[in-house]
Amino acid sequence: MSRLSQFVTEIHRRSLWQVLGIYLAGSWVAYQLTLGLVEGLGLPDWVPPFAIVLFIVFLPVVLATAFVQEGLPGAADARGAVPLYRHPPPGPVERVLRRHPLTWHRAITAGVLAFAVLGLGVTGFMGMRAIGFGPFGTPVTRGELGERGVLVADFEPITGDSLLARVVAEAIRVDLSQSPVLHAVDRTRVGYALERMTRPADTRISGEVAREVAVRLGLGALIEGDVGRAGSGYILSARLVSADSGRVLVAVRASARDSSDLLPAVDQLSARLRERAGESLRTIRDSAPLTQVTTSSLPALRSYLHARELVYAGDVDGALQSFRGALALDSQFAAAHRAIGTIYRNAGRRTDSMLYHLRAAVRQEARLTEWEQHHTRGMLYTATGRIPEAIAEYQRALALDSLDAQALVNLGVAYSLLNDNARVEEYSRRALAIGFRSLSTTYWNLECAQLNQRDFAGAHTTIADAAREHHGSPTLTHMRLRLALAEGDFAGAEQVLDSVASSDLDTPRRLYQLLRGHPERAIAPSDGPADPVGRARGELLRAYAELWVERRPQAAVRRLKAAMWLPALDSVPANDRPDPYAALVLAAAGEPRLARQLIERYEAGVPAELRPWHTAALLAAKGFVYLAEGRPDSAVAALTDAQQHAFCLACLQALRAQVLEAAGQSDSAVAAYERYLDTGWDDRHSVFPNLLPYVPSLAPLAHERAAALREQLGAPEKARAHYASFVALWEHAEPDLQPRVESARRRLARPPAVPR
């Protein structure tokens, strides 16, 4: 028999095939357990390769042990057959085999020890990494990152392609939004820092500018990087840099074969950066790849980023065109849908398009990061009036990142719509505590909440705090004007307005003029844009003043008849036309037929889900229609229901009081007037919140009517107080309004009557 045949015979005789099969099966099971531990415990990526090396090293050891332990040829005959239930004394062959170094006991012990050493090595590595000791310490464990996230600066375009460098930086920002350790601060906070630095919103964030932004935001570190070419491929590098010293804490690189490999390369770069920074390996592995949470199309991402830059530069139309270009390249690019929806929401127009794009983003939310998913749903729920659901989404976003300034601000806005001013104040203060001191959002919302709670001392403190960072801002002057009006300090309000140029604070100046009885100064014939919606809203504002300030209802009717049935409005989306508000004015002016036409046009053209923002005005319009038709009880019920749907504390109380007065319920009417007057002052203290650029308060009307009712009800002192407030408001009103002021003065000149 040949030597090869003898060797094969020996393999079969010694059962090596069976041993090999058992070893390979056991190794596969052990390797799967190792992978499970790596995923479950967040062990480093080098553990599975080390385990494979150990399996390979011990394979010949196991086979050699099996070969030896089966004995030499003829050993079985030497031992003879042995009954299973007896243990005869070992023979000479057994004694030789037991003394051989290759025994099963030793092989198994060696394998266990080898894996124990691997386990100890992993434990030591993870321990030193966790406590920041030795060469495995990280910026996280050494406390070099702070707790407020990191700033991703604009990358340097070594290739000369600046847009490509910005695309890579944006991709890094998106990926880091999934990181609990290197969470990239959102653009809202960056914009706030630029505002404090008196730099434009589209300023390039790099070099010293980036470091100053990071320091102003209280960040411990920022991420810089560059994009270079290597033949047809790219070399990407990123550095985690200390914000205060500029010291490089971590530096990583990645390469891409060509442009199609660029986004996967950014994924690798980000993962290495996160690992070296000290993030849990488990959370890194759990992060979705960039192509899943953004787009797999690099040209689409380029178009998207270009659109973002146009937004910061103020070119909204150009931005919309570029966002649509991104969608043309990738129709499932959820972030582009979200961006278009945001633009329409901020503009207050094209609510149908806004909802279309926000819904598209939600349908494709798997292409968004978890943070973006919560904010997109919150935006959609707010747009459709589902405020509690919006609050829940922003709370979930805040649970992901307790320093999410955008979530804090949006929660404040959402709670203001529920008239929960204590919560508005809470979330505004939390935003201030993390360093987000935006005048137009944080300080503004905080002062609103304080005025609504009549905390005037707190509002003075808020303005003083804001002035230290935003001295000279027109928004700050507007806040001072609001506070003066809330306190009834008209001399102070005049002083605030006199301190700025006539072109500044145009909107609040007009609001103030209407409050003080000067509609001609406040509303010039040329006011308002030329587009059909702008013209309709401008005419509605004039009709409002004619009806409730000047008491000229027929003039208001003529104006709205000419404005609300223009052919140009037929092409305007139904929800963008101010039909419910015009119907309200027409019905209150005694034209229920025309009011019903607008109500029916609105209800026929606007789906129910888009109506929550205008439900209060719609119900109020129906209430005045009922009143004009001689149905006072139905009118009172409709106005009461309208106030329950209003996103303001008292904006409809004065109108409800008029209906109650007309219905003969004087006690309830005067209570409603006084509730309106006692409610804190903010920009929603009007009939048309969030619709018109400026709307007159009904405070003069409320004081005038409350005074008359108090006289009728036998409360002369309260009546005198209302007459005095009315005279103070309109002391220098226009001549056409002075007869009403003189009437109030005559009543004040009468001797006080004895209360009944």
Side-chain angles (χ1 to χ4, degrees), residues 478-557:
H478 191 171
M479 291 171 63
R480 290 194 175 104
L481 175 62
R482 272 197 320 194
L483 176 56
L485 291 174
E487 293 181 305
D489 180 9
F490 300 119
E494 296 276 5
Q495 185 177 4
V496 170
L497 290 171
D498 290 342
S499 69
V500 296
S502 58
S503 59
D504 293 337
L505 294 184
D506 183 68
T507 295
R509 189 184 299 275
R510 292 170 184 269
L511 174 61
Y512 179 74
Q513 295 290 357
L514 285 167
L515 177 68
R516 301 305 303 276
H518 298 287
E520 292 300 323
R521 297 184 195 174
I523 308 174
S526 60
D527 280 356
D531 65 279
V533 174
R535 178 181 175 184
R537 291 182 176 184
E539 292 297 272
L540 176 57
L541 177 58
R542 297 183 188 94
Y544 181 110
E546 287 168 339
L547 174 63
W548 280 306
V549 177
E550 303 175 66
R551 285 187 177 174
R552 295 194 297 131
Q554 292 308 310
V557 170

Coordinates of all heavy atoms in Angstrom, one line a residue, residues 478-557:
H478 N -38.9 97.0 20.2 CA -40.3 96.5 20.2 C -40.7 95.9 21.5 O -41.8 96.1 22.0 CB -40.4 95.5 19.0 CG -41.8 95.2 18.7 ND1 -42.2 94.4 17.6 CD2 -43.0 95.5 19.3 CE1 -43.5 94.3 17.5 NE2 -44.0 94.9 18.6
M479 N -39.8 95.1 22.1 CA -40.1 94.5 23.4 C -40.3 95.6 24.5 O -41.2 95.5 25.3 CB -39.0 93.6 23.8 CG -38.8 92.3 22.9 SD -37.3 91.4 23.3 CE -37.6 90.9 25.0
R480 N -39.6 96.7 24.4 CA -39.8 97.8 25.4 C -41.1 98.4 25.2 O -41.8 98.8 26.1 CB -38.7 98.8 25.2 CG -37.3 98.3 25.7 CD -36.4 99.5 25.9 NE -35.1 99.1 26.4 CZ -34.0 99.0 25.7 NH1 -34.0 99.2 24.4 NH2 -32.8 98.6 26.3
L481 N -41.5 98.6 23.9 CA -42.8 99.2 23.6 C -44.0 98.3 24.1 O -44.9 98.8 24.7 CB -43.0 99.4 22.1 CG -44.3 99.9 21.6 CD1 -44.6 101.2 22.1 CD2 -44.3 99.9 20.1
R482 N -43.8 97.0 23.9 CA -44.9 96.0 24.4 C -45.0 96.1 25.9 O -46.1 96.1 26.4 CB -44.5 94.6 24.0 CG -44.9 94.1 22.7 CD -44.9 92.7 22.6 NE -43.7 92.0 23.1 CZ -43.4 90.8 22.9 NH1 -44.1 90.0 22.1 NH2 -42.3 90.2 23.5
L483 N -43.9 96.2 26.6 CA -44.0 96.3 28.1 C -44.6 97.6 28.5 O -45.5 97.6 29.4 CB -42.5 96.2 28.6 CG -42.4 96.3 30.2 CD1 -43.3 95.3 30.9 CD2 -41.0 96.1 30.6
A484 N -44.3 98.7 27.9 CA -44.9 99.9 28.2 C -46.4 99.9 28.0 O -47.2 100.4 28.9 CB -44.3 101.1 27.4
L485 N -46.9 99.3 26.9 CA -48.3 99.2 26.6 C -49.0 98.3 27.6 O -50.1 98.6 28.1 CB -48.5 98.7 25.2 CG -48.1 99.7 24.1 CD1 -48.3 99.0 22.7 CD2 -49.0 100.9 24.1
A486 N -48.3 97.2 28.0 CA -48.9 96.3 29.0 C -49.1 96.9 30.3 O -50.1 96.7 31.0 CB -48.0 95.0 29.1
E487 N -48.2 97.8 30.7 CA -48.3 98.5 32.0 C -49.2 99.7 31.9 O -49.4 100.4 32.9 CB -46.9 98.9 32.4 CG -46.0 97.8 32.8 CD -44.6 98.2 33.3 OE1 -43.9 99.0 32.5 OE2 -44.2 97.8 34.4
G488 N -49.6 100.1 30.7 CA -50.5 101.3 30.5 C -49.6 102.5 30.6 O -50.2 103.6 30.9
D489 N -48.3 102.4 30.4 CA -47.4 103.6 30.4 C -47.3 104.2 29.0 O -46.4 103.9 28.3 CB -46.1 103.1 30.9 CG -45.1 104.3 31.0 OD1 -45.5 105.4 30.8 OD2 -43.9 104.0 31.2
F490 N -48.3 105.0 28.7 CA -48.4 105.6 27.3 C -47.3 106.6 27.1 O -46.7 106.7 26.0 CB -49.7 106.2 27.0 CG -50.8 105.2 27.1 CD1 -51.9 105.3 28.0 CD2 -50.8 104.1 26.3 CE1 -52.9 104.4 28.1 CE2 -51.8 103.1 26.4 CZ -52.9 103.3 27.3
A491 N -46.9 107.3 28.2 CA -45.8 108.2 28.0 C -44.5 107.5 27.7 O -43.7 107.9 26.9 CB -45.6 109.1 29.3
G492 N -44.3 106.3 28.4 CA -43.2 105.5 28.1 C -43.2 104.9 26.7 O -42.1 104.8 26.1
A493 N -44.4 104.6 26.2 CA -44.5 104.1 24.9 C -44.1 105.1 23.9 O -43.4 104.9 22.9 CB -45.9 103.6 24.6
E494 N -44.6 106.4 24.1 CA -44.2 107.5 23.2 C -42.7 107.7 23.2 O -42.1 108.0 22.2 CB -44.9 108.8 23.6 CG -46.5 108.7 23.5 CD -46.9 109.0 22.1 OE1 -46.1 109.2 21.3 OE2 -48.2 109.1 22.0
Q495 N -42.1 107.6 24.4 CA -40.7 107.8 24.5 C -39.9 106.8 23.7 O -38.9 107.1 23.1 CB -40.3 107.8 26.0 CG -38.8 108.1 26.2 CD -38.5 108.2 27.7 OE1 -39.3 107.9 28.5 NE2 -37.2 108.5 28.0
V496 N -40.4 105.5 23.8 CA -39.7 104.4 23.1 C -39.8 104.7 21.6 O -38.8 104.6 20.8 CB -40.4 103.1 23.4 CG1 -39.9 102.0 22.4 CG2 -40.1 102.7 24.8
L497 N -41.0 105.1 21.1 CA -41.1 105.3 19.6 C -40.4 106.5 19.2 O -39.8 106.6 18.1 CB -42.6 105.5 19.3 CG -43.5 104.2 19.4 CD1 -45.0 104.6 19.3 CD2 -43.1 103.2 18.3
D498 N -40.3 107.6 20.0 CA -39.5 108.8 19.7 C -38.0 108.5 19.6 O -37.3 109.3 19.0 CB -39.8 109.9 20.7 CG -41.2 110.4 20.5 OD1 -41.8 110.2 19.4 OD2 -41.7 111.1 21.4
S499 N -37.6 107.4 20.3 CA -36.1 107.1 20.4 C -35.6 106.5 19.1 O -34.4 106.3 19.0 CB -35.8 106.2 21.6 OG -36.4 104.9 21.3
V500 N -36.5 106.1 18.2 CA -36.0 105.4 17.0 C -36.5 106.2 15.7 O -37.5 107.0 15.8 CB -36.5 103.9 16.9 CG1 -35.9 103.1 18.0 CG2 -38.0 103.9 16.9
A501 N -35.9 105.9 14.6 CA -36.3 106.6 13.4 C -37.7 106.2 13.0 O -38.2 105.1 13.3 CB -35.3 106.3 12.3
S502 N -38.4 107.0 12.3 CA -39.8 106.8 11.9 C -39.9 105.5 11.0 O -41.0 104.9 11.0 CB -40.4 108.0 11.2 OG -39.6 108.3 10.0
S503 N -38.8 105.2 10.3 CA -38.9 104.0 9.5 C -38.7 102.7 10.2 O -39.0 101.6 9.7 CB -37.8 104.1 8.4 OG -36.5 104.2 9.0
D504 N -38.2 102.8 11.5 CA -38.0 101.6 12.3 C -39.3 101.3 13.0 O -40.1 102.2 13.3 CB -36.9 101.9 13.3 CG -35.5 102.0 12.7 OD1 -35.4 101.5 11.6 OD2 -34.6 102.6 13.3
L505 N -39.4 100.1 13.4 CA -40.6 99.6 14.1 C -41.9 100.0 13.4 O -42.9 100.5 14.1 CB -40.6 100.2 15.6 CG -39.5 99.7 16.5 CD1 -39.7 100.2 17.9 CD2 -39.5 98.2 16.5
D506 N -42.0 99.9 12.1 CA -43.1 100.3 11.4 C -44.4 99.6 11.9 O -45.4 100.3 12.1 CB -42.9 100.1 9.9 CG -44.1 100.6 9.1 OD1 -44.2 101.8 9.0 OD2 -44.8 99.8 8.5
T507 N -44.3 98.3 12.0 CA -45.5 97.5 12.4 C -46.0 97.9 13.8 O -47.2 98.3 14.0 CB -45.2 96.0 12.3 OG1 -45.0 95.7 11.0 CG2 -46.4 95.2 12.9
P508 N -45.2 97.9 14.9 CA -45.7 98.3 16.2 C -46.1 99.7 16.3 O -47.0 100.1 17.0 CB -44.5 98.0 17.1 CG -43.3 97.9 16.3 CD -43.8 97.4 14.9
R509 N -45.4 100.6 15.5 CA -45.8 102.0 15.5 C -47.2 102.2 15.0 O -48.0 102.9 15.5 CB -44.8 102.8 14.6 CG -45.0 104.3 14.7 CD -44.1 105.0 13.7 NE -42.7 104.7 14.0 CZ -42.0 105.4 14.9 NH1 -42.5 106.4 15.6 NH2 -40.7 105.1 15.1
R510 N -47.6 101.4 13.9 CA -48.9 101.5 13.4 C -49.9 100.9 14.4 O -51.0 101.4 14.5 CB -49.0 100.8 12.0 CG -48.2 101.4 10.9 CD -48.1 100.6 9.7 NE -47.3 101.2 8.7 CZ -47.8 102.0 7.7 NH1 -49.1 102.2 7.7 NH2 -47.0 102.5 6.8
L511 N -49.5 99.8 15.0 CA -50.4 99.2 16.0 C -50.7 100.2 17.1 O -51.8 100.3 17.6 CB -49.7 97.9 16.6 CG -50.4 97.2 17.7 CD1 -51.8 96.8 17.3 CD2 -49.6 96.1 18.2
Y512 N -49.7 100.9 17.5 CA -49.8 101.9 18.6 C -50.7 103.0 18.1 O -51.6 103.5 18.9 CB -48.4 102.4 19.0 CG -48.5 103.5 20.0 CD1 -48.8 103.2 21.4 CD2 -48.3 104.9 19.7 CE1 -48.8 104.1 22.4 CE2 -48.4 105.8 20.7 CZ -48.6 105.5 22.0 OH -48.7 106.4 23.0
Q513 N -50.6 103.5 16.9 CA -51.4 104.6 16.4 C -52.9 104.1 16.4 O -53.8 104.9 16.7 CB -51.0 105.0 15.0 CG -49.6 105.6 14.9 CD -49.6 107.0 15.6 OE1 -50.6 107.5 16.0 NE2 -48.4 107.5 15.7
L514 N -53.2 102.9 16.0 CA -54.6 102.4 16.0 C -55.1 102.4 17.4 O -56.3 102.7 17.7 CB -54.6 101.1 15.4 CG -54.5 101.0 13.8 CD1 -54.3 99.6 13.3 CD2 -55.8 101.6 13.2
L515 N -54.3 101.9 18.4 CA -54.7 101.9 19.8 C -55.0 103.2 20.3 O -56.0 103.4 21.1 CB -53.6 101.2 20.6 CG -53.8 101.1 22.1 CD1 -54.9 100.2 22.4 CD2 -52.5 100.7 22.8
R516 N -54.3 104.3 19.9 CA -54.5 105.6 20.4 C -55.5 106.4 19.6 O -55.7 107.6 19.8 CB -53.1 106.4 20.4 CG -52.1 105.7 21.3 CD -52.5 105.5 22.7 NE -53.0 106.6 23.4 CZ -52.2 107.5 24.1 NH1 -50.9 107.3 24.1 NH2 -52.7 108.5 24.7
G517 N -56.2 105.8 18.6 CA -57.3 106.5 17.9 C -56.8 107.3 16.7 O -57.4 108.3 16.4
H518 N -55.8 106.8 16.0 CA -55.3 107.5 14.8 C -55.3 106.5 13.6 O -54.2 106.2 13.0 CB -53.9 108.0 15.0 CG -53.8 109.0 16.1 ND1 -54.3 110.3 16.0 CD2 -53.4 109.0 17.4 CE1 -54.2 111.0 17.1 NE2 -53.6 110.2 18.0
P519 N -56.5 106.0 13.1 CA -56.5 105.1 12.0 C -55.9 105.7 10.7 O -55.3 105.0 9.9 CB -58.0 104.7 11.9 CG -58.7 105.8 12.6 CD -57.8 106.3 13.7
E520 N -56.1 107.0 10.5 CA -55.6 107.6 9.3 C -54.1 107.6 9.2 O -53.5 107.4 8.2 CB -56.1 109.0 9.1 CG -57.6 109.1 8.9 CD -58.0 108.3 7.6 OE1 -57.2 108.4 6.6 OE2 -59.1 107.7 7.6
R521 N -53.4 107.7 10.4 CA -52.0 107.7 10.4 C -51.5 106.2 10.3 O -50.4 106.0 9.7 CB -51.5 108.2 11.8 CG -51.8 109.7 12.0 CD -51.1 110.1 13.3 NE -51.6 111.3 13.8 CZ -51.3 111.8 15.0 NH1 -50.4 111.2 15.8 NH2 -51.8 113.0 15.4
A522 N -52.3 105.3 10.8 CA -51.8 103.9 10.8 C -52.0 103.2 9.5 O -51.2 102.4 9.2 CB -52.6 103.2 11.9
I523 N -53.0 103.6 8.8 CA -53.3 102.8 7.6 C -53.4 103.8 6.4 O -54.3 104.5 6.2 CB -54.7 102.1 7.7 CG1 -54.7 101.3 9.0 CG2 -55.0 101.2 6.5 CD1 -56.1 100.6 9.2
A524 N -52.3 103.8 5.6 CA -52.2 104.6 4.4 C -52.8 103.9 3.2 O -52.7 102.6 3.2 CB -50.8 105.0 4.2
P525 N -53.4 104.6 2.3 CA -54.0 103.9 1.1 C -53.0 103.0 0.3 O -53.4 102.0 -0.3 CB -54.5 105.0 0.3 CG -54.6 106.2 1.2 CD -53.6 106.0 2.2
S526 N -51.7 103.3 0.4 CA -50.7 102.6 -0.4 C -50.2 101.3 0.3 O -49.3 100.6 -0.2 CB -49.5 103.5 -0.8 OG -48.9 103.9 0.4
D527 N -50.7 101.1 1.5 CA -50.2 100.0 2.3 C -50.4 98.7 1.6 O -51.4 98.5 0.9 CB -50.8 99.9 3.7 CG -50.2 100.9 4.6 OD1 -49.2 101.6 4.2 OD2 -50.6 101.1 5.7
G528 N -49.6 97.7 1.8 CA -49.9 96.3 1.4 C -49.2 96.0 0.1 O -49.1 96.8 -0.8
P529 N -48.8 94.7 -0.1 CA -48.2 94.3 -1.4 C -49.3 94.2 -2.5 O -50.5 94.3 -2.3 CB -47.7 92.9 -1.1 CG -48.5 92.4 0.1 CD -48.9 93.7 0.9
A530 N -48.8 94.1 -3.7 CA -49.7 94.2 -4.9 C -50.3 92.8 -5.2 O -51.3 92.8 -6.0 CB -48.9 94.6 -6.1
D531 N -49.9 91.7 -4.6 CA -50.5 90.4 -5.0 C -51.9 90.3 -4.4 O -52.2 91.1 -3.5 CB -49.6 89.3 -4.4 CG -49.6 89.3 -2.9 OD1 -48.8 90.1 -2.3 OD2 -50.4 88.5 -2.3
P532 N -52.7 89.5 -5.0 CA -54.1 89.4 -4.6 C -54.3 89.2 -3.1 O -55.2 89.8 -2.5 CB -54.7 88.3 -5.4 CG -53.8 88.2 -6.6 CD -52.4 88.5 -6.1
V533 N -53.6 88.2 -2.5 CA -53.8 87.9 -1.1 C -53.3 89.1 -0.2 O -54.0 89.5 0.7 CB -53.0 86.7 -0.7 CG1 -53.0 86.4 0.8 CG2 -53.5 85.5 -1.4
G534 N -52.2 89.7 -0.6 CA -51.7 90.9 0.1 C -52.7 92.0 0.1 O -53.0 92.7 1.1
R535 N -53.3 92.2 -1.1 CA -54.3 93.3 -1.2 C -55.5 93.0 -0.3 O -56.1 93.9 0.3 CB -54.7 93.5 -2.6 CG -55.8 94.6 -2.8 CD -56.2 94.8 -4.3 NE -57.3 95.7 -4.4 CZ -57.9 96.0 -5.5 NH1 -57.5 95.4 -6.6 NH2 -58.9 96.9 -5.5
A536 N -56.0 91.7 -0.4 CA -57.2 91.4 0.4 C -56.9 91.5 1.9 O -57.8 92.0 2.6 CB -57.5 89.9 0.1
R537 N -55.7 91.2 2.3 CA -55.4 91.3 3.7 C -55.3 92.8 4.1 O -55.8 93.2 5.2 CB -54.1 90.6 4.1 CG -54.3 89.1 4.0 CD -53.0 88.4 4.4 NE -53.2 86.9 4.4 CZ -52.3 86.0 4.7 NH1 -51.1 86.5 5.1 NH2 -52.5 84.7 4.7
G538 N -54.7 93.6 3.3 CA -54.7 95.0 3.6 C -56.1 95.7 3.6 O -56.3 96.5 4.5
E539 N -56.9 95.3 2.7 CA -58.3 95.8 2.8 C -59.1 95.3 4.0 O -59.9 96.1 4.6 CB -59.0 95.4 1.5 CG -58.5 96.1 0.2 CD -58.7 97.6 0.3 OE1 -59.7 98.1 -0.1 OE2 -57.7 98.3 0.7
L540 N -58.8 94.1 4.4 CA -59.4 93.6 5.6 C -59.0 94.3 6.8 O -59.8 94.6 7.7 CB -59.1 92.1 5.7 CG -59.6 91.4 7.0 CD1 -61.1 91.4 7.1 CD2 -59.1 89.9 7.0
L541 N -57.7 94.7 6.9 CA -57.3 95.5 8.0 C -58.0 96.9 8.1 O -58.4 97.3 9.1 CB -55.8 95.7 7.9 CG -55.1 96.6 9.0 CD1 -55.4 96.0 10.4 CD2 -53.6 96.7 8.7
R542 N -58.1 97.5 6.9 CA -58.8 98.8 6.9 C -60.3 98.6 7.3 O -60.8 99.5 8.0 CB -58.7 99.4 5.5 CG -57.3 99.7 5.1 CD -57.2 100.4 3.7 NE -55.8 100.5 3.3 CZ -55.2 99.6 2.5 NH1 -55.9 98.6 2.0 NH2 -54.0 99.8 2.1
A543 N -60.9 97.6 6.8 CA -62.3 97.3 7.2 C -62.4 97.1 8.7 O -63.4 97.5 9.3 CB -62.9 96.1 6.4
Y544 N -61.5 96.4 9.2 CA -61.5 96.1 10.7 C -61.5 97.4 11.4 O -62.3 97.6 12.4 CB -60.2 95.3 11.0 CG -60.0 94.9 12.4 CD1 -60.1 93.6 12.8 CD2 -59.6 95.8 13.4 CE1 -59.8 93.2 14.1 CE2 -59.4 95.5 14.7 CZ -59.5 94.2 15.1 OH -59.2 93.8 16.4
A545 N -60.6 98.3 11.0 CA -60.5 99.6 11.7 C -61.8 100.4 11.5 O -62.3 101.1 12.4 CB -59.3 100.4 11.2
E546 N -62.3 100.4 10.3 CA -63.6 101.1 10.0 C -64.7 100.6 10.9 O -65.5 101.4 11.3 CB -63.9 101.0 8.5 CG -63.0 101.9 7.6 CD -63.1 101.5 6.2 OE1 -63.6 100.4 5.8 OE2 -62.7 102.4 5.3
L547 N -64.8 99.3 11.1 CA -65.9 98.8 11.9 C -65.7 99.0 13.4 O -66.6 99.5 14.0 CB -66.0 97.3 11.6 CG -67.0 96.5 12.4 CD1 -68.4 97.0 12.2 CD2 -66.9 95.0 12.1
W548 N -64.5 98.6 13.9 CA -64.4 98.5 15.4 C -63.6 99.7 16.0 O -63.7 99.9 17.2 CB -63.7 97.2 15.8 CG -64.7 96.1 15.8 CD1 -65.9 96.0 16.4 CD2 -64.6 94.8 15.1 NE1 -66.5 94.8 16.2 CE2 -65.7 94.0 15.4 CE3 -63.6 94.3 14.2 CZ2 -65.9 92.8 14.9 CZ3 -63.8 93.0 13.7 CH2 -64.9 92.3 14.0
V549 N -63.0 100.5 15.2 CA -62.3 101.7 15.7 C -63.2 102.9 15.4 O -63.5 103.7 16.3 CB -60.9 101.8 15.1 CG1 -60.2 103.1 15.7 CG2 -60.0 100.6 15.5
E550 N -63.6 103.1 14.1 CA -64.3 104.3 13.7 C -65.8 104.1 13.7 O -66.5 105.1 13.5 CB -63.8 104.6 12.3 CG -62.3 104.8 12.1 CD -61.9 105.1 10.7 OE1 -62.3 106.1 10.1 OE2 -61.2 104.2 10.1
R551 N -66.3 102.9 13.9 CA -67.7 102.7 13.9 C -68.4 103.1 12.6 O -69.4 103.8 12.6 CB -68.4 103.4 15.1 CG -68.2 102.7 16.4 CD -69.0 103.4 17.5 NE -68.9 102.7 18.8 CZ -69.4 103.2 19.9 NH1 -70.1 104.3 19.9 NH2 -69.3 102.5 21.0
R552 N -67.8 102.7 11.5 CA -68.4 103.0 10.1 C -68.6 101.6 9.4 O -67.9 101.3 8.5 CB -67.5 103.9 9.3 CG -67.3 105.3 10.0 CD -66.6 106.2 9.0 NE -65.3 105.8 8.6 CZ -64.8 105.8 7.4 NH1 -65.6 106.0 6.4 NH2 -63.6 105.4 7.1
P553 N -69.6 100.9 9.8 CA -69.8 99.5 9.3 C -70.1 99.5 7.8 O -69.6 98.6 7.1 CB -71.0 99.0 10.1 CG -71.7 100.2 10.6 CD -70.7 101.2 10.9
Q554 N -70.8 100.5 7.2 CA -71.1 100.4 5.8 C -69.8 100.6 5.0 O -69.7 100.1 3.9 CB -72.1 101.5 5.5 CG -73.5 101.2 6.0 CD -74.0 99.8 5.7 OE1 -73.9 99.4 4.5 NE2 -74.4 99.1 6.7
A555 N -68.9 101.5 5.5 CA -67.6 101.6 4.8 C -66.9 100.3 4.8 O -66.2 100.0 3.8 CB -66.8 102.7 5.5
A556 N -66.9 99.6 5.9 CA -66.2 98.3 5.9 C -66.8 97.3 5.0 O -66.1 96.6 4.3 CB -66.3 97.7 7.4
V557 N -68.2 97.3 4.8 CA -68.8 96.4 3.9 C -68.5 96.7 2.5 O -68.1 95.8 1.7 CB -70.4 96.5 4.1 CG1 -71.1 95.7 3.0 CG2 -70.8 95.9 5.5

